[in-house]
Amino acid sequence: MKFFVNESCIGCGLCTGTCPEVFAMTDAGVAEAISDEVDAALEAPANEALEGCPVGAIRTE
């Protein structure tokens, strides 16, 4: 599974705090997801970040 952060990200940091192995903040102050497939062990915390995102900026593929 891959995770993506779209342009509606407000840079609140919830995702990076919840799953820093998958999400990081950019120099622009918004989040981005790693470009690799997410390891199965990290899917639960990454999905928690997706569900907790206050603006729904995270999606999966």
Side-chain angles (χ1 to χ4, degrees):
M1 178 180 295
K2 283 188 158 193
F3 287 80
F4 301 90
V5 179
N6 68 32
E7 67 280 347
S8 62
C9 176
I10 59 171
C12 73
L14 181 137
C15 59
T16 59
T18 303
C19 191
E21 299 87 355
V22 175
F23 302 99
M25 298 302 287
T26 68
D27 290 340
V30 295
E32 67 181 357
I34 61 171
S35 59
D36 299 329
E37 290 279 330
V38 172
D39 185 84
L42 295 173
E43 284 184 13
N47 275 314
E48 183 179 335
L50 180 151
E51 292 170 7
C53 179
V55 295
I58 303 170
R59 66 176 179 85
T60 61
E61 197 172 275

